[in-house]
Amino acid sequence: MSDCIFCKIASREMPSTIVDESEKLITIKDINPQAPTHLLIIPKEHFPTILECTDKTLLGDMLTTANRLAEEQGFAQKGFRTVINTNEEGGQIVRHLHMPLLAGRPLSGKMG
Ligand code: 5GP
Ligand code: ZN
């Protein structure tokens, strides 16, 4: 997808702060953080939403990555939130599957 910002970030065409990378995923800092930690776990492959995601192991990999980063970055026990916003009423703005990972403050009410 040539005009997709997350595809461009994954291919390094666009700059971002990368905090983790694996074969299928890249994790970056959100440009407009809503919590002290606000990461975006992004598949390198372009799926517009979770509905089109044909790679089911990828979804498990995204959650496993969130767990690992929570442990590594030291907020696992205090707590964190993962969400996947889908389509308009789900609050999805960027049409490339991604999973926000928020931590560092009480998150009641804020859904990503
Ligand atoms: P959505 O509402 O689609 O689930 O979330 C999109 C998220 O991507 C937002 O939190 C927004 O701040 C973030 N975002 C949008 N454009 C960029 C960008 O160019 N770089 C980074 N690092 N984050 C972005
Ligand atoms: Zn894309």
Side-chain angles (χ1 to χ4, degrees):
M1 288 291 288
S2 56
D3 61 349
C4 171
I5 53 173
F6 287 173
C7 282
K8 286 183 178 170
I9 282 173
S11 68
R12 312 297 209 273
E13 239 181 282
M14 254 181 75
S16 69
T17 304
I18 299 169
V19 300
D20 192 71
E21 184 167 10
S22 57
E23 188 194 340
K24 291 184 174 181
L25 298 172
I26 191 163
T27 300
I28 63 170
K29 288 190 178 178
D30 196 289
I31 206 169
N32 181 25
Q34 303 299 308
T37 298
H38 187 163
L39 305 177
L40 300 172
I41 299 170
I42 304 172
K44 293 179 181 175
E45 187 173 352
H46 181 90
F47 300 106
T49 79
I50 193 173
L51 296 167
E52 290 84 17
C53 183
T54 46
D55 183 350
K56 299 307 176 197
T57 63
L58 189 65
L59 302 173
D61 289 349
M62 290 169 77
L63 287 165
T64 304
T65 298
N67 283 354
R68 177 172 54 76
L69 291 172
E71 295 285 2
E72 285 174 4
Q73 298 201 5
F75 53 77
Q77 295 313 311
K78 265 197 153 179
F80 59 96
R81 177 175 290 171
T82 52
V83 290
I84 297 181
N85 298 327
T86 302
N87 283 334
E88 197 177 336
E89 290 193 2
Q92 184 181 9
I93 295 163
V94 177
R95 297 284 156 163
H96 177 129
L97 174 62
H98 56 281
M99 188 168 76
L101 169 60
L102 295 119
R105 68 167 175 81
L107 290 161
S108 51
K110 169 63 192 158
M111 294 304 289

